[in-house]
Coordinates of all heavy atoms in Angstrom, one line a residue:
M1492 N 85.2 92.4 105.9 CA 86.5 91.9 106.2 C 86.7 90.4 106.0 O 87.8 89.9 105.8 CB 87.1 92.3 107.5 CG 87.1 93.9 107.7 SD 88.3 94.5 108.7 CE 89.7 93.8 108.4
N1493 N 85.6 89.7 105.9 CA 85.7 88.2 105.7 C 85.5 88.0 104.2 O 85.5 86.7 103.9 CB 84.8 87.5 106.6 CG 83.3 87.8 106.4 OD1 83.0 88.5 105.4 ND2 82.4 87.3 107.3
G1494 N 85.3 88.9 103.3 CA 85.2 88.5 102.0 C 83.8 88.2 101.5 O 83.6 87.8 100.3
D1495 N 82.8 88.2 102.3 CA 81.5 87.8 101.9 C 80.6 88.9 101.2 O 79.5 88.7 100.8 CB 80.7 87.2 103.0 CG 80.4 88.2 104.1 OD1 80.7 89.4 104.0 OD2 79.7 87.7 105.1
G1496 N 81.2 90.1 101.1 CA 80.5 91.2 100.4 C 79.6 92.0 101.4 O 79.0 93.0 100.9
V1497 N 79.4 91.6 102.5 CA 78.6 92.2 103.6 C 79.5 93.1 104.4 O 80.5 92.6 105.0 CB 77.8 91.2 104.3 CG1 76.9 91.9 105.3 CG2 77.0 90.3 103.5
P1498 N 79.1 94.4 104.6 CA 80.0 95.3 105.4 C 80.0 94.7 106.9 O 79.0 94.4 107.5 CB 79.3 96.6 105.5 CG 78.3 96.5 104.3 CD 78.0 95.1 104.0
D1499 N 81.3 94.6 107.5 CA 81.4 94.2 108.8 C 82.0 95.2 109.7 O 82.0 95.2 110.9 CB 82.3 92.8 109.0 CG 82.5 92.0 107.9 OD1 83.2 92.2 107.0 OD2 81.7 90.9 107.9
V1500 N 82.8 96.1 109.1 CA 83.6 97.1 109.8 C 83.5 98.5 109.0 O 83.4 98.5 107.8 CB 85.1 96.8 109.8 CG1 85.9 97.8 110.4 CG2 85.3 95.4 110.4
S1501 N 83.3 99.5 109.9 CA 83.2 100.9 109.2 C 84.0 101.8 110.1 O 83.9 101.9 111.3 CB 81.7 101.3 109.2 OG 81.6 102.5 108.6
F1502 N 84.8 102.6 109.4 CA 85.6 103.6 110.0 C 84.9 105.0 109.8 O 84.8 105.3 108.7 CB 87.0 103.6 109.6 CG 87.8 102.4 109.8 CD1 87.8 101.3 108.9 CD2 88.4 102.1 111.0 CE1 88.5 100.1 109.1 CE2 89.1 100.9 111.3 CZ 89.1 99.9 110.3
V1503 N 84.5 105.5 110.9 CA 83.7 106.8 110.7 C 84.2 107.9 111.6 O 85.0 107.6 112.6 CB 82.2 106.5 111.2 CG1 81.6 105.5 110.3 CG2 82.2 106.0 112.6
T1504 N 83.9 109.2 111.2 CA 84.2 110.3 112.0 C 83.2 110.7 113.1 O 83.4 111.6 113.9 CB 84.7 111.5 111.1 OG1 83.5 111.8 110.3 CG2 85.9 111.2 110.3
A1505 N 82.0 110.2 112.9 CA 80.9 110.4 113.8 C 80.0 109.2 113.8 O 79.9 108.4 112.8 CB 80.1 111.6 113.4
P1506 N 79.3 109.0 114.9 CA 78.4 107.8 114.9 C 77.4 107.9 113.8 O 77.0 109.0 113.4 CB 77.7 107.9 116.3 CG 78.7 108.7 117.1 CD 79.3 109.7 116.2
P1507 N 77.0 106.7 113.3 CA 76.0 106.7 112.1 C 74.7 107.4 112.4 O 74.1 107.1 113.5 CB 75.9 105.3 111.7 CG 76.5 104.5 112.9 CD 77.3 105.4 113.7
V1508 N 74.1 108.1 111.6 CA 72.8 108.8 111.7 C 71.8 107.7 111.7 O 71.9 106.8 110.7 CB 72.5 109.8 110.6 CG1 71.2 110.4 110.8 CG2 73.6 110.9 110.8
G1509 N 70.9 107.6 112.5 CA 69.9 106.7 112.6 C 70.3 105.3 113.3 O 69.5 104.4 113.3
G1510 N 71.5 105.4 113.9 CA 71.9 104.3 114.6 C 72.8 103.3 113.9 O 72.8 103.3 112.6
P1511 N 73.5 102.4 114.6 CA 74.4 101.5 114.0 C 73.6 100.4 113.2 O 72.5 100.0 113.5 CB 75.2 100.9 115.1 CG 74.3 101.0 116.3 CD 73.6 102.3 116.0
I1512 N 74.2 99.8 112.2 CA 73.6 98.7 111.5 C 74.1 97.4 112.2 O 75.2 97.2 112.6 CB 74.2 98.6 110.0 CG1 73.7 99.8 109.3 CG2 73.6 97.3 109.3 CD1 74.3 100.1 107.9
K1513 N 73.2 96.4 112.5 CA 73.4 95.3 113.2 C 74.5 94.4 112.4 O 74.5 94.3 111.2 CB 72.2 94.4 113.3 CG 72.4 93.1 114.1 CD 71.1 92.3 114.2 CE 71.4 91.1 115.1 NZ 70.3 90.3 115.2
G1514 N 75.5 94.0 113.1 CA 76.5 93.2 112.5 C 77.8 94.0 112.1 O 78.8 93.4 111.6
V1515 N 77.7 95.2 112.1 CA 78.8 96.2 111.7 C 79.5 96.7 112.9 O 78.8 97.2 113.8 CB 78.3 97.3 110.8 CG1 79.5 98.2 110.4 CG2 77.6 96.8 109.5
E1516 N 80.8 96.5 113.0 CA 81.6 97.1 114.2 C 82.1 98.5 113.6 O 82.7 98.6 112.5 CB 82.8 96.2 114.2 CG 83.6 96.6 115.5 CD 82.9 96.2 116.8 OE1 82.2 95.3 116.9 OE2 83.2 96.9 117.8
Y1517 N 81.9 99.5 114.4 CA 82.2 100.9 114.0 C 83.4 101.4 114.8 O 83.5 101.1 116.0 CB 81.0 101.8 114.3 CG 79.8 101.7 113.4 CD1 78.8 100.7 113.8 CD2 79.7 102.3 112.3 CE1 77.8 100.5 112.9 CE2 78.7 102.0 111.3 CZ 77.7 101.2 111.7 OH 76.6 101.0 110.9
Y1518 N 84.3 102.1 114.2 CA 85.5 102.6 114.8 C 85.6 104.1 114.4 O 85.6 104.4 113.3 CB 86.8 101.9 114.3 CG 86.9 100.4 114.6 CD1 86.4 99.4 113.8 CD2 87.4 100.1 115.9 CE1 86.4 98.1 114.2 CE2 87.5 98.8 116.3 CZ 87.0 97.8 115.5 OH 87.0 96.4 115.9
L1519 N 85.6 104.9 115.5 CA 85.6 106.4 115.3 C 87.1 106.7 115.0 O 88.1 106.3 115.7 CB 85.1 107.1 116.6 CG 83.6 107.0 116.8 CD1 83.3 107.6 118.2 CD2 82.9 107.6 115.7
I1520 N 87.3 107.4 113.9 CA 88.6 108.0 113.6 C 88.6 109.5 113.7 O 87.5 110.1 113.5 CB 89.1 107.5 112.2 CG1 88.2 108.0 111.2 CG2 89.2 106.0 112.2 CD1 88.7 107.7 109.8
D1521 N 89.7 110.2 114.0 CA 89.7 111.6 114.3 C 90.3 112.4 113.2 O 90.3 113.6 113.2 CB 90.3 112.0 115.6 CG 91.9 111.4 115.6 OD1 92.4 111.1 114.5 OD2 92.5 111.6 116.6
N1522 N 90.8 111.7 112.1 CA 91.5 112.3 110.9 C 92.7 113.2 111.3 O 93.2 114.0 110.6 CB 90.5 113.2 110.1 CG 89.7 112.3 109.2 OD1 90.0 111.3 108.8 ND2 88.4 112.7 109.0
D1523 N 93.2 112.8 112.6 CA 94.5 113.5 113.0 C 95.5 112.4 113.4 O 96.3 112.1 112.5 CB 94.2 114.4 114.2 CG 95.4 115.1 114.6 OD1 96.2 115.5 113.8 OD2 95.6 115.4 115.9
L1524 N 95.3 111.7 114.4 CA 96.2 110.5 114.7 C 95.8 109.3 113.9 O 96.6 108.5 113.6 CB 96.2 110.3 116.2 CG 96.7 111.3 117.1 CD1 96.6 111.0 118.5 CD2 98.2 111.6 116.8
V1525 N 94.5 109.2 113.7 CA 94.1 108.0 112.8 C 93.2 108.6 111.7 O 92.3 109.4 111.9 CB 93.1 107.1 113.8 CG1 92.6 105.9 112.9 CG2 93.8 106.6 115.0
R1526 N 93.6 108.2 110.5 CA 92.8 108.7 109.4 C 93.0 107.7 108.1 O 93.7 106.7 108.2 CB 93.4 110.0 108.9 CG 94.8 110.0 108.4 CD 95.2 111.4 107.9 NE 96.6 111.3 107.5 CZ 97.5 112.3 108.0 NH1 97.2 113.1 108.9 NH2 98.7 112.2 107.6
L1527 N 92.2 107.9 107.2 CA 92.2 107.2 105.9 C 93.0 108.0 104.9 O 92.9 109.2 104.9 CB 90.7 107.0 105.3 CG 89.9 106.0 106.2 CD1 88.5 106.1 105.7 CD2 90.5 104.6 106.1
S1528 N 93.9 107.2 104.1 CA 94.8 108.0 103.3 C 94.2 108.9 102.3 O 94.8 109.8 101.8 CB 95.7 107.0 102.6 OG 95.0 106.1 101.8
Q1529 N 92.9 108.6 101.8 CA 92.4 109.4 100.8 C 91.1 110.1 101.2 O 90.2 110.2 100.5 CB 92.0 108.6 99.6 CG 93.4 107.9 99.0 CD 93.1 106.9 97.8 OE1 91.9 106.4 97.6 NE2 94.2 106.5 97.3
G1530 N 91.1 110.5 102.5 CA 90.0 111.2 103.1 C 88.9 110.2 103.6 O 88.9 109.9 104.7
D1531 N 87.9 109.9 102.7 CA 86.9 108.9 103.1 C 87.1 107.6 102.4 O 86.1 106.7 102.5 CB 85.5 109.5 102.8 CG 85.3 109.7 101.2 OD1 86.3 109.5 100.5 OD2 84.2 110.0 100.8
D1532 N 88.4 107.3 102.0 CA 88.6 106.0 101.5 C 90.1 105.8 101.6 O 90.9 106.7 102.0 CB 88.2 106.1 99.9 CG 88.3 104.7 99.2 OD1 88.3 103.6 100.0 OD2 88.3 104.6 98.0
G1533 N 90.6 104.5 101.3 CA 92.0 104.3 101.2 C 92.5 103.4 102.4 O 91.8 102.8 103.1
T1534 N 93.8 103.6 102.7 CA 94.5 102.8 103.6 C 94.4 103.5 105.1 O 94.5 104.7 105.2 CB 95.9 102.7 103.4 OG1 96.0 102.1 102.1 CG2 96.7 101.9 104.3
L1535 N 94.1 102.8 106.1 CA 94.0 103.2 107.4 C 95.4 103.5 108.0 O 96.3 102.6 108.0 CB 93.3 102.3 108.4 CG 92.9 102.8 109.8 CD1 91.9 103.9 109.8 CD2 92.3 101.6 110.6
T1536 N 95.7 104.8 108.4 CA 96.9 105.1 109.0 C 96.8 105.5 110.4 O 96.0 106.3 110.8 CB 97.5 106.4 108.2 OG1 97.5 106.0 106.8 CG2 98.8 106.8 108.7
W1537 N 97.5 104.7 111.2 CA 97.4 105.0 112.8 C 98.6 105.9 113.1 O 99.7 105.7 112.6 CB 97.6 103.7 113.5 CG 96.5 102.7 113.3 CD1 96.5 101.7 112.3 CD2 95.2 102.6 113.9 NE1 95.2 101.1 112.4 CE2 94.4 101.6 113.5 CE3 94.7 103.4 115.0 CZ2 93.2 101.2 113.8 CZ3 93.4 103.0 115.4 CH2 92.7 102.0 114.8
L1538 N 98.4 106.8 114.2 CA 99.5 107.6 114.6 C 100.1 108.4 113.5 O 101.3 108.4 113.5 CB 100.4 106.9 115.5 CG 99.8 106.1 116.7 CD1 100.9 105.2 117.4 CD2 99.2 107.1 117.7
A1539 N 99.3 109.0 112.6 CA 99.9 109.6 111.4 C 100.8 110.8 111.7 O 101.7 111.0 110.9 CB 98.7 110.1 110.5
N1540 N 100.6 111.5 112.7 CA 101.4 112.7 113.1 C 102.6 112.4 114.1 O 103.2 113.3 114.5 CB 100.5 113.8 113.7 CG 99.5 114.3 112.8 OD1 99.8 114.3 111.5 ND2 98.4 114.8 113.1
T1541 N 102.7 111.0 114.4 CA 103.8 110.7 115.3 C 105.1 110.4 114.5 O 105.1 109.6 113.6 CB 103.4 109.4 116.1 OG1 102.2 109.6 116.7 CG2 104.5 109.0 117.1
P1542 N 106.1 111.1 114.8 CA 107.4 110.9 114.0 C 107.9 109.6 114.4 O 107.9 109.0 115.5 CB 108.3 112.1 114.6 CG 107.8 112.5 115.8 CD 106.2 112.2 115.8
R1543 N 108.4 108.9 113.3 CA 109.0 107.6 113.5 C 110.4 107.7 113.3 O 110.9 108.2 112.2 CB 108.4 106.6 112.5 CG 106.8 106.4 112.9 CD 106.2 105.5 111.8 NE 104.9 105.0 112.3 CZ 103.8 105.8 112.0 NH1 103.9 106.8 111.3 NH2 102.7 105.2 112.4
V1544 N 111.3 107.2 114.2 CA 112.7 107.1 114.1 C 113.1 105.7 114.0 O 112.8 104.9 115.0 CB 113.3 107.9 115.3 CG1 114.8 107.8 115.2 CG2 112.8 109.3 115.4
R1545 N 113.9 105.3 113.1 CA 114.4 104.0 112.9 C 115.9 104.0 112.6 O 116.3 104.9 112.0 CB 113.7 103.2 111.8 CG 112.2 103.1 111.8 CD 111.8 101.7 111.6 NE 110.4 101.5 111.3 CZ 109.3 101.9 112.0 NH1 109.4 102.6 113.0 NH2 108.1 101.4 111.6
N1546 N 116.6 103.1 113.2 CA 118.0 103.1 113.0 C 118.3 102.0 112.0 O 117.5 101.2 111.6 CB 118.9 102.9 114.3 CG 118.5 101.5 115.0 OD1 118.2 100.5 114.3 ND2 118.6 101.5 116.3
D1547 N 119.5 101.9 111.4 CA 119.9 101.1 110.4 C 119.7 99.6 110.7 O 119.3 98.8 109.8 CB 121.4 101.2 110.0 CG 121.7 102.5 109.3 OD1 120.7 103.1 108.7 OD2 122.8 102.9 109.2
K1548 N 119.6 99.3 111.9 CA 119.4 97.9 112.4 C 118.0 97.5 111.9 O 117.9 96.2 111.7 CB 119.6 97.7 113.8 CG 119.6 96.2 114.3 CD 120.0 96.2 115.8 CE 120.0 94.7 116.1 NZ 120.4 94.5 117.6
H1549 N 117.1 98.3 111.9 CA 115.7 98.0 111.5 C 115.6 97.7 110.0 O 114.6 97.2 109.6 CB 114.8 99.0 112.0 CG 114.6 99.1 113.5 ND1 114.8 100.3 114.1 CD2 114.4 98.1 114.4 CE1 114.6 99.9 115.5 NE2 114.5 98.6 115.7
Y1550 N 116.4 98.2 109.2 CA 116.4 98.1 107.7 C 117.3 97.0 107.2 O 117.1 96.5 106.1 CB 116.8 99.3 107.1 CG 115.8 100.5 107.3 CD1 116.0 101.5 108.3 CD2 114.6 100.5 106.6 CE1 115.1 102.5 108.5 CE2 113.7 101.5 106.9 CZ 114.0 102.5 107.8 OH 113.0 103.4 108.1
L1551 N 118.4 96.6 107.9 CA 119.4 95.7 107.4 C 119.4 94.4 108.2 O 119.3 94.5 109.4 CB 120.8 96.3 107.4 CG 120.8 97.6 106.5 CD1 122.2 98.3 106.8 CD2 120.6 97.3 105.1
Q1552 N 119.6 93.3 107.6 CA 119.8 92.0 108.3 C 121.3 91.8 108.7 O 122.1 92.3 107.9 CB 119.2 90.9 107.5 CG 117.7 90.9 107.2 CD 117.0 90.7 108.5 OE1 117.4 89.8 109.3 NE2 115.9 91.4 108.7
P1553 N 121.6 91.1 109.6 CA 123.0 90.7 109.9 C 123.6 89.8 108.8 O 122.8 89.1 108.2 CB 123.0 90.1 111.2 CG 121.6 89.4 111.4 CD 120.7 90.4 110.6
I1554 N 124.8 90.0 108.6 CA 125.5 89.1 107.6 C 126.1 88.0 108.4 O 126.7 88.2 109.5 CB 126.6 89.8 106.9 CG1 126.0 91.0 106.0 CG2 127.4 88.9 105.9 CD1 126.9 92.0 105.4
A1555 N 126.0 86.8 107.9 CA 126.4 85.6 108.7 C 127.9 85.6 108.8 O 128.6 86.0 107.9 CB 126.0 84.3 108.0
T1556 N 128.4 85.2 110.0 CA 129.9 85.2 110.2 C 130.6 84.3 109.3 O 131.7 84.6 108.8 CB 130.2 84.9 111.6 OG1 129.6 83.6 112.0 CG2 129.7 85.9 112.6
A1557 N 129.9 83.3 108.8 CA 130.5 82.3 107.9 C 130.8 83.0 106.6 O 131.7 82.8 105.9 CB 129.6 81.1 107.7
D1558 N 129.8 83.9 106.1 CA 130.0 84.6 104.9 C 131.1 85.7 105.0 O 131.9 85.9 104.0 CB 128.7 85.3 104.5 CG 127.5 84.4 104.2 OD1 127.8 83.2 103.7 OD2 126.4 84.7 104.2
I1559 N 131.2 86.3 106.1 CA 132.3 87.2 106.3 C 133.7 86.5 106.3 O 134.6 87.0 105.8 CB 132.1 88.1 107.7 CG1 130.8 88.9 107.5 CG2 133.2 88.9 108.0 CD1 130.4 89.6 108.8
A1560 N 133.7 85.4 106.9 CA 135.0 84.6 106.9 C 135.3 84.2 105.5 O 136.6 84.2 105.2 CB 134.8 83.3 107.8
L1561 N 134.4 83.8 104.7 CA 134.6 83.5 103.3 C 135.1 84.7 102.4 O 135.9 84.5 101.4 CB 133.4 82.8 102.6 CG 133.1 81.5 103.1 CD1 131.7 81.0 102.4 CD2 134.2 80.5 102.8
K1562 N 134.6 85.8 102.8 CA 134.8 87.0 102.0 C 135.4 88.1 102.9 O 134.5 88.8 103.4 CB 133.8 87.4 101.1 CG 134.1 88.5 100.2 CD 133.0 88.6 99.1 CE 133.3 89.8 98.2 NZ 133.1 89.5 96.8
P1563 N 136.7 88.3 103.2 CA 137.1 89.2 104.3 C 136.8 90.6 104.0 O 136.7 91.4 105.0 CB 138.6 88.9 104.3 CG 138.8 87.6 103.8 CD 137.7 87.4 102.7
D1564 N 136.7 91.0 102.8 CA 136.3 92.5 102.5 C 134.9 92.8 102.9 O 134.6 93.9 102.8 CB 136.7 92.8 101.0 CG 135.9 92.0 100.1 OD1 135.7 90.8 100.4 OD2 135.7 92.5 99.0
L1565 N 134.1 91.8 103.1 CA 132.7 92.0 103.5 C 132.7 92.4 105.0 O 133.3 91.8 105.9 CB 131.9 90.7 103.3 CG 130.4 90.7 103.3 CD1 129.9 91.5 102.2 CD2 129.9 89.4 103.3
T1566 N 131.9 93.5 105.3 CA 131.9 94.0 106.7 C 130.4 93.9 107.1 O 129.4 93.8 106.4 CB 132.3 95.5 106.8 OG1 131.4 96.3 106.0 CG2 133.7 95.6 106.5
Q1567 N 130.2 93.7 108.5 CA 128.9 93.5 109.0 C 128.2 94.8 108.9 O 128.6 95.8 108.9 CB 129.1 93.2 110.6 CG 127.8 92.7 111.3 CD 127.1 91.6 110.7 OE1 126.3 91.8 109.7 NE2 127.4 90.4 111.1
N1568 N 126.8 94.6 108.7 CA 125.9 95.8 108.6 C 125.9 96.5 109.9 O 126.0 95.9 111.0 CB 124.6 95.2 108.2 CG 124.3 94.9 106.8 OD1 124.9 95.4 106.0 ND2 123.6 93.8 106.5
P1569 N 125.6 97.9 109.8 CA 125.6 98.7 111.1 C 124.5 98.2 112.0 O 123.5 97.8 111.7 CB 125.1 100.1 110.5 CG 125.4 100.0 109.1 CD 125.3 98.6 108.6
G1570 N 125.0 98.2 113.2 CA 124.0 97.8 114.4 C 124.1 96.4 114.7 O 123.5 95.9 115.7
W1571 N 124.7 95.6 113.9 CA 124.8 94.1 114.2 C 126.3 93.9 114.6 O 126.8 93.0 114.9 CB 124.4 93.3 113.0 CG 122.9 93.5 112.6 CD1 122.5 94.4 111.7 CD2 121.8 93.0 113.2 NE1 121.1 94.4 111.6 CE2 120.7 93.4 112.6 CE3 121.7 92.0 114.2 CZ2 119.4 93.0 113.0 CZ3 120.4 91.5 114.5 CH2 119.3 92.1 113.9

């Protein structure tokens, strides 16, 4: 993780056979709530099976009142 080419972190489904390697931090993943996007490689996904609900306020920024005053047909984004 520090870019030196030496493994520092390993995401595993079981403890390493033969014991851990010195200097490597191991994180157990269950491939249910925590998994790698491509099985044994890829992006680490946390809480993969947890539904996420977001409202419009999380996707849109507020429009400045000065901008709305300059252009009256402009309306504020939902939730703001």
Side-chain angles (χ1 to χ4, degrees):
M1492 297 214 42
N1493 63 6
D1495 64 2
V1497 178
D1499 334 86
V1500 177
S1501 182
F1502 298 96
V1503 296
T1504 55
V1508 177
I1512 297 171
K1513 184 179 179 180
V1515 177
E1516 187 73 33
Y1517 292 91
Y1518 293 93
L1519 290 173
I1520 60 174
D1521 61 7
N1522 283 326
D1523 184 31
L1524 293 176
V1525 181
R1526 66 174 173 236
L1527 292 171
S1528 62
Q1529 298 169 351
D1531 61 356
D1532 190 17
T1534 304
L1535 187 65
T1536 305
W1537 297 94
L1538 302 173
N1540 295 331
T1541 303
R1543 292 179 171 89
V1544 178
R1545 303 230 196 305
N1546 60 35
D1547 289 341
K1548 187 173 181 176
H1549 293 126
Y1550 292 102
L1551 303 171
Q1552 295 292 320
I1554 299 173
T1556 53
D1558 292 336
I1559 294 172
L1561 289 173
K1562 190 166 178 138
D1564 60 329
L1565 196 61
T1566 58
Q1567 188 57 270
N1568 283 325
W1571 296 97

